[in-house]
Amino acid sequence: MSITTDQLRARGAGSFWLRLAAVALPLLMIAPAFWNGYPLLQWDTGGYLARWYEGYLVPSRSTVFGLYLHYGESYGFWINLAIQSLATLWLLQLTLRVLGLMQTFRFVAISLLLILSTALPWLASMLLTDIFAGLSVLSLFLLVVGGSRISAIEKVALFVFTAFAAATHSATLGVLLGLCAVGWMMRPFLRTRLPLAGLTQASLTIVVGGLMLVSANHALSGKWAWTPGGYGVAFGRMMQDGIVARYLGDHCPSENFKLCPYRNQLPATADEFLWGTSMFNTLGRFEGMNDEMSYIVVHSLADYPAWQAGAALRAMGQQLLHVATGEGTSGWIPHTYGIIEQYIPEQVAPMRAARQQQWGVDFEYVNLLHVPVALVSMLALVALLAHSLANRRLDDLTLLAATVTLALLGNAFICAVISGPHDRYGARMVWVATFVVLMALVRAFGDDGSKAR
């Protein structure tokens, strides 16, 4: 068959747009950082940065992610943002390819819609673990169902990425562990859809991620230990729900807790107690209070099981609705500024010149779009899953929809029950629902009649 001039021109034009997208999309994915003039910082960023320099473990601050940030310091952390941008686009296109929906125009269109309407570019532009939460759900799914549709090199890359993501935050590891557990429970009913090799590889990423975290903790602190802080954060949530005050009221006459003299002065919120100027500081913070907090957490679960269950379900429901972009990313993050000034002084000038440090970052208008898109995406995801199951359609897109639904529920449960509802926890995961809904629309209204596998 001869190739006409028009066909050659069309191929040339397609190649041009592909090259343009390859250059433009990675830059657009971190456009908020370029607009800001510096990578976006968050209240927790400083705690991760300090791990390399301080050499000891602190609650909820992964040493693995701290090392990842440390190796980007010499480049103003832009190399970290480049990794986050490229990893995001790689996983988006790989998911489309595995599901049989990959075309250049579709990939570009879906990427641009996600950039414009979700928290994704803000997450990719930020020095925080949150970008890896949603991406790890995609990478875990691809490891399970990819099979012969992905190369050996891609499987290795997915394995390493998923293990690293699991090591960056305990909540992310918990969500991935829960997904693997559900996968093993469902495998007797979905044998061909959930290959044994894929489930095994996915499960091993959790093990490797845990080993990665413990090894990094030992390398930096000399201790073979898990990252501390779980009981303390859970204690803050229970205090916010009134459970701690009730427990102290019931037990202080007979037990000598450090908090007994303060039982009528407890702050209204967990954030105020743990991170504000409360009696928590007076009593020695985590080092001085960890044993007492863990004791109260465990025993209050036994004393008030119905109250605990009701509080957990309410918090989970609230967390599903907390999806606004930008929580904790403001001009008031003194701890992070202090860490950079103390340990990375060469970064002070560009950091101080950024819009964020001039109070020029405001998410009010951004969330006028992001919040409704997020909420509608979750509803559409549930409707998509229900429609597919009602019609007995169990293809890979349905499995992905089920995976993301479970991830959203698991993330809401873990984060809300342990830390209490926060917009940050919802925003870091909900964009994946938007991605799945966009893929479903592509399949339903695609111009070439292609269908997901």
Side-chain angles (χ1 to χ4, degrees):
M1 182 187 301
S2 62
I3 300 176
T4 66
T5 302
D6 288 342
Q7 288 175 321
L8 290 173
R9 288 175 178 172
R11 289 184 182 180
S15 178
F16 168 77
W17 289 111
L18 181 60
R19 289 195 299 270
L20 180 62
V23 174
L25 283 179
L27 299 178
L28 291 173
M29 189 60 71
I30 53 174
F34 289 122
W35 170 81
N36 183 52
Y38 194 76
L40 290 167
L41 305 174
Q42 205 262 1
W43 185 273
D44 293 347
T45 304
Y48 292 107
L49 287 171
R51 300 290 43 83
W52 172 263
Y53 298 98
E54 294 178 346
Y56 57 85
L57 307 180
V58 298
S60 302
R61 300 294 177 262
S62 164
T63 52
V64 172
F65 189 72
L67 289 171
Y68 163 77
L69 291 183
H70 172 68
Y71 290 122
E73 290 174 10
S74 301
Y75 304 93
F77 303 107
W78 290 103
I79 191 170
N80 300 98
L81 299 196
I83 292 170
Q84 291 168 193
S85 175
L86 293 173
T88 300
L89 292 167
W90 169 59
L91 286 167
L92 293 181
Q93 68 82 25
L94 188 56
T95 304
L96 286 169
R97 198 184 87 207
V98 168
L99 270 63
L101 295 169
M102 180 60 191
Q103 284 185 355
T104 300
F105 175 78
R106 287 175 176 173
F107 169 58
V108 172
I110 288 176
S111 298
L112 288 176
L113 286 171
L114 292 173
I115 289 169
L116 292 172
S117 65
T118 74
L120 184 56
W122 297 92
L123 299 173
S125 298
M126 195 176 300
L127 300 180
L128 198 62
T129 64
D130 290 4
I131 183 61
F132 297 105
L135 292 178
S136 65
V137 174
L138 294 179
S139 62
L140 189 84
F141 172 81
L142 292 171
L143 267 178
V144 174
V145 306
S148 61
R149 288 168 280 175
I150 56 177
S151 67
I153 293 177
E154 288 171 329
K155 288 180 181 177
V156 171
L158 286 169
F159 187 97
V160 172
F161 180 88
T162 309
F164 170 78
T168 62
H169 200 284
S170 295
T172 300
L173 186 147
V175 170
L176 298 178
L177 178 61
L179 291 175
C180 288
V182 172
W184 284 109
M185 286 188 290
M186 294 303 297
R187 189 173 184 277
F189 309 100
L190 304 172
R191 290 184 180 276
T192 59
R193 309 304 304 174
L194 298 175
L196 178 61
L199 267 177
T200 302
Q201 292 167 8
S203 300
L204 286 174
T205 64
I206 312 300
V207 177
V208 173
L211 292 174
M212 194 182 296
L213 180 60
V214 172
S215 298
N217 286 348
H218 180 265
L220 291 184
S221 71
K223 298 179 180 179
W224 292 105
W226 198 261
T227 302
Y231 282 116
V233 178
F235 178 91
R237 196 273 303 167
M238 292 182 186
M239 187 208 68
Q240 184 170 293
D241 288 332
I243 295 172
V244 170
R246 170 68 180 277
Y247 185 87
L248 293 174
D250 290 345
H251 292 270
C252 277
S254 58
E255 299 185 61
N256 187 27
F257 293 114
K258 295 178 183 178
L259 279 170
C260 283
Y262 304 95
R263 65 182 183 273
N264 296 320
Q265 306 168 32
L266 296 175
T269 68
D271 287 342
E272 186 180 350
F273 177 74
L274 293 171
W275 316 116
T277 55
S278 72
M279 67 287 296
F280 187 55
N281 296 333
T282 306
L283 297 174
R285 295 191 61 76
F286 289 99
E287 183 175 352
M289 289 293 295
N290 192 61
D291 290 343
E292 182 167 309
M293 289 190 298
S294 61
Y295 182 90
I296 292 175
V297 166
V298 172
H299 286 78
S300 65
L301 284 169
D303 284 6
Y304 319 115
W307 190 355
Q308 292 277 15
L313 290 175
R314 284 193 300 274
M316 180 180 176
Q318 292 168 5
Q319 180 59 71
L320 288 171
L321 300 177
H322 280 64
V323 292
T325 300
E327 183 188 29
T329 304
S330 67
W332 177 246
I333 45 175
H335 180 257
T336 293
Y337 296 157
I339 292 297
I340 292 176
E341 290 170 352
Q342 181 177 357
Y343 296 118
I344 323 172
E346 65 274 14
Q347 291 297 316
V348 172
M351 176 196 71
R352 289 292 183 185
R355 289 178 185 267
Q356 181 181 358
Q357 282 59 258
Q358 305 301 319
W359 294 85
V361 179
D362 186 353
F363 291 94
E364 179 180 359
Y365 295 107
V366 169
N367 282 316
L368 290 176
L369 176 62
H370 286 192
V371 171
V373 167
L375 296 176
V376 169
S377 295
M378 285 193 291
L379 289 173
L381 179 69
V382 173
L384 167 67
L385 181 58
H387 181 267
S388 296
L389 294 177
N391 288 277
R392 299 182 181 276
R393 172 186 282 172
L394 196 58
D395 55 17
D396 283 346
L397 185 57
T398 302
L399 285 177
L400 179 57
T403 300
V404 174
T405 300
L406 290 172
L408 288 169
L409 293 173
N411 178 70
F413 179 80
I414 292 171
C415 293
V417 170
I418 300 299
S419 301
H422 287 78
D423 282 303
R424 178 193 148 199
Y425 301 144
R428 71 186 183 187
M429 189 71 72
V430 74
W431 67 266
V432 189
T434 309
F435 178 45
V436 175
V437 171
L438 289 173
M439 284 192 288
L441 291 174
V442 164
R443 185 178 67 177
F445 301 105
D447 59 3
D448 66 349
S450 67
K451 294 183 179 180
R453 294 175 185 268

